[in-house]
Amino acid sequence: MAEFLENPSSSSGMSSDNVTGLILALSSSIFIGASFIVKKKGLKKAGSVGVRAGVGGYTYLYEPLWWAGMITMIVGEVANFAAYAFAPAILVTPLGALSIIVSAVLAHIILKEKLHIFGILGCVLCVVGSTTIVLHAPKERDIESVKEVWSLATEPAFLLYAALVVSATLVLIFHFVPYYGPTHIMVYIGVCSLMGSLSVMSCKALGIALKLTFSGMNQLIYPQTWAFALVVITCVITQMNYLNKALDTFNTAVVSPIYYVMFTSLTILASVIMFKDWDRQNPSQIVTEMCGFVTILSGTFLLHKTKDLGDSSSSVINIFAGLSPSFSSRNSKHSSENGCMAEEIPLRCQDSFP
């Protein structure tokens, strides 16, 4: 088994760098997923003795539990950044969905928030999809200098992609955001996802430079390293700014899955163009990876779709009512007897749940 994982020459095994990147990515998901629960516990504890954060209070800043959650999240983000230095983005980025599973399971155990049966199915789908991607991910390219990464980033194909991304982002920011941002969710998320794909590529380049520097080959003397760092700062600030706008304007349960789909899809596309990940794979491996990605998307959708539903027959009716108009009409009489329409069950009939 160890030989299967660590032998780079094996056509189906994972290289040692991929294994390192996988471990870092999994650790990142665990830390980030757990951080949401620890921070929420801290917010609840702080809200019980002071003004809640939701109404403008800052009591949580004096709560050690909230700071423990923040430190946990920082550790997770550092692990995620390091993972890009060892493994291709097509392996690392989709594994971010596992943090949703960690958060959902811990919320069920610690916060006593009910995990719906469809939510459990969503967790299983995310694990299956992630396993599929891990087993078929391409090996990381051998890079000896940040100049090699710069050469990849300045090839015509990626320059064209970057130009299209920057142009689309500017059009969204200056033309669509002022008029359609507050009413159309895709505007804010479009900016976040487009800039996010460039930020991941720059983070990967910067991570490789730091990895080589720590191994004894100083890359900080090259201007390319600092150019990548500047791109990271610019893209991340823009990305976070518009992600906060999206979260402040729209329902988190809607923002999260859409953002995950767009961000991950564009990041994989950018990685395929810049690092030519698929050039080292056969068609069957590529198709299998895409199937794994779609499986993760399905699991993520189920988790978010059912996150606020109780474990009751009304919840099941609501799911199918949203998917099938004919099913909704057949159950309208039953819904009316409970005082609300089927489509309104999770929003206005919470008290009817056990």
Side-chain angles (χ1 to χ4, degrees):
M1 182 65 178
E3 181 180 357
F4 172 81
L5 289 173
E6 297 181 3
N7 183 7
S9 63
S10 173
S11 60
S12 59
M14 294 178 64
S15 67
S16 58
D17 275 354
N18 272 23
V19 173
T20 303
L22 171 62
I23 294 173
L24 287 169
L26 292 176
S27 301
S28 170
S29 293
I30 293 172
F31 279 111
I32 292 175
S35 72
F36 289 118
I37 307 304
V38 178
K39 286 169 66 179
K40 187 166 184 178
K41 289 281 287 185
L43 289 171
K44 284 187 173 182
K45 188 175 179 181
S48 66
V49 297
V51 182
R52 293 173 54 247
V55 293
Y58 295 96
T59 312
Y60 63 89
L61 294 176
Y62 300 97
E63 175 54 53
L65 197 57
W66 183 86
W67 282 107
M70 180 60 69
I71 293 172
T72 304
M73 175 173 282
I74 293 172
V75 171
E77 293 295 351
V78 170
N80 188 60
F81 173 79
Y84 283 110
F86 293 93
I90 198 172
L91 168 62
V92 176
T93 305
L95 293 181
L98 296 181
S99 64
I100 302 174
I101 296 178
V102 174
S103 180
V105 172
L106 291 180
H108 178 75
I109 297 172
I110 299 175
L111 301 178
K112 307 303 179 183
E113 295 180 358
K114 190 66 177 178
L115 183 60
H116 192 274
I117 184 64
F118 286 163
I120 297 175
L121 176 59
C123 291
V124 172
L125 287 174
C126 287
V127 171
V128 171
S130 299
T131 303
T132 302
I133 290 178
V134 166
L135 294 178
H136 296 85
K139 296 179 176 64
E140 177 70 331
R141 176 190 292 267
D142 292 328
I143 295 178
E144 302 296 332
S145 170
V146 71
K147 289 184 176 180
E148 293 182 38
V149 186
W150 183 263
S151 177
L152 294 171
T154 53
E155 288 188 358
F158 188 75
L159 286 178
L160 176 61
Y161 173 81
L164 290 174
V165 166
V166 172
S167 300
T169 301
L170 292 175
V171 170
L172 285 173
I173 290 175
F174 293 106
H175 181 69
F176 288 97
V177 165
Y179 302 103
Y180 305 105
T183 57
H184 291 73
I185 191 172
M186 297 302 294
V187 176
Y188 288 148
I189 293 183
V191 175
C192 298
S193 303
L194 289 167
M195 297 306 291
S197 67
L198 293 183
S199 70
V200 168
M201 295 303 100
S202 301
C203 278
K204 183 172 178 63
L206 187 59
I208 291 173
L210 292 176
K211 182 180 73 171
L212 292 173
T213 298
F214 292 144
S215 66
M217 296 179 286
N218 187 9
Q219 304 296 304
L220 301 180
I221 61 175
Y222 299 117
Q224 290 89 338
T225 300
W226 300 104
F228 282 126
L230 180 61
V231 174
V232 169
I233 295 172
T234 303
C235 291
V236 168
I237 290 176
T238 305
Q239 183 182 357
M240 290 298 99
N241 178 40
Y242 286 94
L243 180 58
N244 287 334
K245 290 178 181 290
L247 291 171
D248 187 53
T249 306
F250 303 100
N251 193 317
T252 303
V254 178
V255 172
S256 297
I258 296 177
Y259 175 60
Y260 174 79
V261 171
M262 290 189 64
F263 168 70
T264 306
S265 300
L266 288 170
T267 298
I268 290 176
L269 176 61
S271 181
V272 167
I273 295 173
M274 180 171 169
F275 291 96
K276 301 177 176 60
D277 294 329
W278 286 349
D279 288 359
R280 304 185 296 279
Q281 294 187 288
N282 58 51
S284 65
Q285 290 176 309
I286 296 173
V287 171
T288 303
E289 286 173 3
M290 290 299 96
C291 289
F293 180 47
V294 172
T295 304
I296 294 176
L297 296 185
S298 302
T300 303
F301 171 80
L302 272 179
L303 273 170
H304 283 280
K305 182 71 175 177
T306 61
K307 64 179 293 187
D308 295 323
L309 299 181
D311 190 13
S312 68
S313 59
S314 298
S315 304
V316 178
I317 289 173
N318 183 70
I319 290 292
F320 286 101
L323 298 176
S324 172
S326 61
F327 187 93
S328 177
S329 63
R330 288 198 301 272
N331 286 276
S332 59
K333 181 178 179 181
H334 173 76
S335 301
S336 298
E337 292 173 354
N338 286 316
C340 64
M341 296 300 293
E343 290 83 357
E344 296 174 332
I345 287 175
L347 295 177
R348 302 183 182 177
C349 292
Q350 297 286 354
D351 294 339
S352 66
F353 290 154

